[in-house]
Amino acid sequence: MENKNVIIAVLLSTAILIGWSMYFENPDEAQRKRLEIQGKTETQTNIQKPETPQTGKAVPTKAISRSDALKESDRVFIENSNLSGSISLRGALIDDIILKNYRETLDKSSKPIVVLSPKKSEDGYFVESGWATTKSDIKVPDNNSVWQIREGKKLTPSSPVTLEWNNREGVVFSKKIEVDDKYLFKITETIRNEKSKTIELFHYSQITKNTKPNTENFYILHEGLIGVVDKNLKEETYSSIEEEKKTYTGKSGWFGITDKYWMSAIIPESGKSFKGEYSFANSYKANFIISEPTIANPQKSTSNTLKIFIGAKEVYPIDNYTEKEKIDRFDLSIDWGWFYFITKPLFFVIDYIFKIVGNFGIAIIILTLLVRILFFPLNNYSFKSMAKMKVLQPEMLRIKELYKDDMKRTQQEMMALYKREKVNPLSGCLPILVQIPIFFAVYKMLFVTLEMRHAPFFGWIKDLSAADPTTIFNLFGLIPWNPPSFLMIGVWPILMGITMYFQMKLNPTPPDPIQAKIFAFFPLIMTVMLATFPSGLVVYWTVSNVLTMAQQYYIIKKTTVKTV
Amino acid sequence: MIKKINNFFSFILTKFIKIYKFLLSPFFPNACHYDPTCSEYFMQSLKEFGFIKGCFKGILRILRCHPIKFLGGGFGYDPVIKNKNK
């Protein structure tokens, strides 16, 4: 009894916690307030040490619009078949990147997705790279240095651009910027030393993001700072970085800031050890600095390379970069989770189906069906043996009672009973436990896939990655009223609840009354919870329920056990 | 001290198994081949043998709970043998 109380207490408190955070606490507002306070108390330090390549000296006092910010400096334009944007000649920052092929909303004429924005704009988000000094005896370019174009006009896959900045003290800095046809930039940074003494500089790169985006805030998906250091994934949320900065040292890897679908990442030259850092001081920063100095002898030049990824986390390009560009474990940027060895193959299956049928919703249904068929033999047998065992229950109890004190005898008698009744249960706990991660993997895969974004299904479902837009509280659109978001319980979640209710009806009612009560409420709780989830997941869940039900019904009908 | 930590882990794991039995396992068909069931067996062996050995025995039991005979699958009455050293 005590245990049941504990369980109920846990359930109730979880429900209250979820409910509270859903309806009462607006995380963005709380966040903004916190930011304001921090912005006031934080004193900006700018140390010219290689440990802290902080070039962003002052944070703009007043944010201006994106288009005004873009006009503030001369620009080199970037264009390939997936990206368009520009590089600011002031500071040589990549601070304007738009994903041409993805739109903000379902409307085809809506704005394309903006990834990077100039630092003076409200949602400033940009990538820089450059050099840091230890002794500050060499003037290095900073965020306000105005660069000159030496070569090229517009950055395209076929025409790289070279920028140059002369410090007027005998050192010339240049950047050769290349882009591929997807999302990868390569920057070769050269120092030309025209002085008579050797100079040592440390190469660094940094991503800065002024504001925290509206995160999905869902525990199965990582959004925030991400990176790999010596094959280990390093993920930190925005809020954990606000509290404490994180530093890493390693020999291979990358650092970045990721959204659910979009990411920017910086990748140090391979084979060089580096120190990476996630930090927060008015803006979120992910950076690295190469530990060994780059040495330029008198009258010589030397260079360092860097790769920058800015774009959509599409599975195939990311895998391609991991292999061909040898970016260490870059595939981890897509959050496949613990069961990635199941999740990822599942993706390739659903992608294959999607390419054949052309509708992601149907692809989900076919995949669910396939998984069910795969496990059908197992479940079939287990249902069968379950039915048989149920019939034999009294006999078993009798044997147990009869030979209470003789364990060996009980065992022998039981075995004899099984043999006589030809009970050969064919599933078992192991196959059941193996299935759990697979169903979780299907769920996770659907949650992370970019393909589901803006993918239509039938009727009112125009975007499988968004919640069902209908709601029962205005009779699915019959009453001209827009209920608050927590009352948005659509058709599919309700279907899910109903199918779940009937599916559970087919199972024997749990013997314990409290347990039975909890189970009676389960479909309702799940309906309300799933109402806010991507509709693709709700479709998956509903179909899955129907299939389980059909299977169970079929077996119950088929299995007739003869009693002795 | 070690015994205390051991007991603590056993306690936590037992709770988890109970939650599983209570909330998750009703969703699956009764599949266990054995009597007592794998989860009961697991909890009993935790009690009987402590955390490490108990876990080991419990996991072995789950690994035995499948239909393929030549891979060690079995069924029937299979209680936890009481620990004689206790």
Side-chain angles (χ1 to χ4, degrees):
Chain A
M1 199 59 216
E2 182 205 354
N3 293 322
K4 271 155 219 154
N5 286 339
V6 169
I7 291 162
I8 291 164
V10 169
L11 270 180
L12 279 178
S13 36
T14 328
I16 289 169
L17 277 178
I18 292 171
W20 180 266
S21 60
M22 269 168 105
Y23 305 137
F24 297 105
E25 198 185 50
N26 184 340
D28 297 325
E29 198 129 290
Q31 177 56 31
R32 212 168 291 137
K33 270 184 198 147
R34 196 138 114 237
L35 277 178
E36 267 170 39
I37 296 161
Q38 270 185 355
K40 275 171 200 154
T41 51
E42 199 94 34
T43 40
Q44 273 290 112
T45 45
N46 188 45
I47 317 149
Q48 276 284 42
K49 272 198 300 184
E51 280 81 17
T52 48
Q54 276 179 356
T55 25
K57 267 182 201 142
V59 166
T61 40
K62 215 173 188 182
I64 53 176
S65 79
R66 191 172 193 274
S67 54
D68 285 346
L70 283 174
K71 282 179 207 142
E72 291 230 323
S73 92
D74 290 328
R75 294 183 165 269
V76 177
F77 292 97
I78 306 168
E79 188 92 51
N80 69 14
S81 48
N82 289 282
L83 301 173
S84 79
S86 59
I87 298 166
S88 161
L89 284 179
R90 181 183 290 273
L93 310 172
I94 305 179
D95 61 356
D96 165 27
I97 292 290
I98 284 168
L99 304 180
K100 289 197 289 192
N101 303 329
Y102 293 96
R103 304 272 151 191
E104 273 180 3
T105 65
L106 285 170
D107 189 356
K108 286 268 183 307
S109 59
S110 67
K111 283 185 195 151
I113 291 290
V114 173
V115 182
L116 301 187
S117 293
K119 85 174 163 186
K120 281 194 176 173
S121 70
E122 200 179 332
D123 297 321
Y125 181 14
F126 55 94
V127 184
E128 65 190 279
S129 67
W131 302 93
T133 59
T134 30
K135 299 169 214 121
S136 69
D137 55 344
I138 304 153
K139 231 170 96 186
V140 288
D142 63 18
N143 268 357
N144 286 315
S145 313
V146 177
W147 294 66
Q148 308 292 327
I149 304 173
R150 270 289 154 269
E151 215 188 315
K153 258 188 184 153
K154 187 175 183 184
L155 179 59
T156 65
S158 57
S159 62
V161 165
T162 306
L163 305 181
E164 194 177 276
W165 185 79
N166 192 331
N167 79 346
R168 311 258 172 246
E169 288 169 8
V171 186
V172 180
F173 296 88
S174 71
K175 282 176 200 272
K176 185 184 180 199
I177 308 171
E178 294 160 272
V179 68
D180 70 354
D181 207 30
K182 281 278 182 186
Y183 308 116
L184 198 73
F185 293 80
K186 257 181 226 173
I187 303 186
T188 312
E189 302 216 42
T190 310
I191 321 165
R192 196 164 81 236
N193 185 3
E194 289 166 353
K195 298 209 291 195
S196 53
K197 70 175 202 232
T198 305
I199 54 173
E200 288 185 6
L201 291 171
F202 296 86
H203 186 228
Y204 80 89
S205 180
Q206 173 164 278
I207 305 174
T208 309
K209 192 170 170 73
N210 288 353
T211 49
K212 177 175 163 172
N214 281 332
T215 50
E216 300 255 343
N217 247 331
F218 200 62
Y219 69 99
I220 69 163
L221 185 83
H222 176 71
E223 286 166 286
L225 294 104
I226 189 170
V228 164
V229 179
D230 294 336
K231 304 210 183 294
N232 293 317
L233 184 65
K234 305 287 180 195
E235 291 177 327
E236 292 295 335
T237 58
Y238 291 107
S239 38
S240 75
I241 285 307
E242 284 161 21
E243 272 148 31
E244 194 189 0
K245 73 172 185 184
K246 290 272 165 12
T247 50
Y248 309 98
T249 50
K251 280 202 161 65
S252 69
W254 51 273
F255 297 96
I257 296 181
T258 188
D259 291 332
K260 182 175 177 181
Y261 298 124
W262 332 115
M263 181 176 75
S264 62
I266 44 180
I267 303 113
E269 189 172 306
S270 63
K272 290 193 174 168
S273 55
F274 55 81
K275 186 174 170 184
E277 189 178 277
Y278 300 148
S279 63
F280 173 79
N282 292 317
S283 56
Y284 301 91
K285 291 189 169 83
N287 62 42
F288 73 81
I289 184 157
I290 302 284
S291 315
E292 290 294 308
T294 302
I295 299 162
N297 290 320
Q299 310 302 324
K300 289 264 164 61
S301 35
T302 180
S303 60
N304 215 320
T305 60
L306 157 80
K307 285 174 195 143
I308 299 172
F309 172 93
I310 304 158
K313 295 198 278 183
E314 293 166 12
V315 180
Y316 293 105
I318 293 263
D319 277 2
N320 189 32
Y321 290 146
T322 314
E323 279 161 34
K324 297 234 170 78
E325 298 289 339
K326 304 235 174 344
I327 304 174
D328 205 13
R329 308 250 53 195
F330 200 52
D331 51 339
L332 292 180
S333 58
I334 298 174
D335 191 1
W336 295 113
W338 287 4
F339 297 115
Y340 68 94
F341 50 88
I342 310 171
T343 323
K344 214 172 164 183
L346 270 175
F347 168 79
F348 292 120
V349 173
I350 204 167
D351 191 58
Y352 184 77
I353 302 170
F354 172 57
K355 276 174 187 153
I356 295 170
V357 298
N359 182 312
F360 209 79
I362 293 176
I364 291 174
I365 292 175
I366 293 177
L367 182 78
T368 325
L369 208 68
L370 284 181
V371 174
R372 279 286 155 187
I373 290 170
L374 196 70
F375 284 117
F376 183 74
L378 280 177
N379 289 331
N380 191 4
Y381 287 127
S382 81
F383 280 126
K384 260 191 204 163
S385 67
M386 176 176 75
K388 248 185 186 173
M389 291 280 243
K390 222 183 196 170
V391 175
L392 292 176
Q393 196 74 36
E395 182 70 11
M396 278 151 75
L397 279 176
R398 203 182 60 86
I399 292 176
K400 262 198 223 171
E401 191 62 32
L402 213 62
Y403 308 103
K404 226 182 357 212
D405 306 314
D406 190 348
M407 209 176 263
K408 248 202 174 136
R409 185 71 199 274
T410 321
Q411 206 161 357
Q412 279 168 0
E413 287 297 320
M414 286 281 203
M415 282 309 197
L417 175 71
Y418 289 137
K419 268 220 176 98
R420 203 163 59 229
E421 295 298 330
K422 291 201 180 81
V423 180
N424 188 12
L426 269 150
S427 178
C429 296
L430 187 65
I432 293 267
L433 290 178
V434 167
Q435 282 181 59
I436 297 175
I438 294 189
F439 284 101
F440 181 72
V442 174
Y443 179 78
K444 174 99 190 184
M445 185 268 300
L446 291 178
F447 206 87
V448 297
T449 38
L450 180 60
E451 276 74 5
M452 204 162 97
R453 186 177 185 272
H454 292 181
F457 192 41
F458 293 114
W460 62 95
I461 304 282
K462 303 273 192 305
D463 179 1
L464 283 166
S465 73
D468 193 320
T470 56
T471 169
I472 191 166
F473 289 97
N474 62 8
L475 295 177
F476 309 111
L478 287 179
I479 303 169
W481 175 56
N482 276 329
S485 63
F486 66 91
L487 286 181
M488 293 299 283
I489 296 169
V491 179
W492 275 101
I494 289 171
L495 278 179
M496 199 285 309
I498 294 170
T499 51
M500 191 173 194
Y501 174 79
F502 281 111
Q503 192 234 311
M504 283 172 68
K505 269 274 135 106
L506 285 180
N507 276 344
T509 340
D512 186 275
I514 300 167
Q515 198 179 5
K517 249 183 208 149
I518 292 178
F519 272 79
F521 275 105
F522 224 89
L524 191 68
I525 298 168
M526 290 312 271
T527 305
V528 175
M529 251 182 76
L530 283 184
T532 56
F533 278 40
S535 47
L537 290 178
V538 185
V539 169
Y540 156 67
W541 208 307
T542 313
V543 173
S544 189
N545 281 347
V546 171
L547 291 176
T548 315
M549 217 159 36
Q551 185 183 333
Q552 223 157 330
Y553 191 73
Y554 164 78
I555 289 159
I556 288 171
K557 272 271 136 102
K558 222 182 93 178
T559 326
T560 41
V561 187
K562 283 170 216 126
T563 32
V564 201
Chain B
M1 186 63 195
I2 289 170
K3 207 173 173 191
K4 264 194 175 164
I5 294 171
N6 245 333
N7 280 344
F8 176 72
F9 278 123
S10 297
F11 174 78
I12 298 281
L13 191 59
T14 308
K15 281 274 174 254
F16 268 109
I17 296 171
K18 278 190 177 150
I19 291 174
Y20 164 82
K21 258 184 78 99
F22 196 74
L23 285 178
L24 264 177
S25 83
F27 279 99
F28 311 124
N30 285 4
C32 193
H33 289 192
Y34 290 103
D35 181 22
T37 61
C38 289
S39 43
E40 280 159 6
Y41 184 95
F42 210 121
M43 288 190 285
Q44 279 174 27
S45 58
L46 282 177
K47 205 169 152 196
E48 204 58 39
F49 297 103
F51 183 69
I52 293 172
K53 206 174 170 195
C55 266
F56 187 67
K57 291 220 164 210
I59 289 166
L60 274 185
R61 171 52 135 34
I62 293 171
L63 290 179
R64 266 185 283 135
C65 193
H66 60 82
I68 306 157
K69 268 217 181 95
F70 64 88
L71 287 176
F75 63 93
Y77 185 59
D78 175 32
V80 178
I81 311 291
K82 294 268 185 279
N83 189 356
K84 279 173 201 141
N85 305 329
K86 213 177 171 182

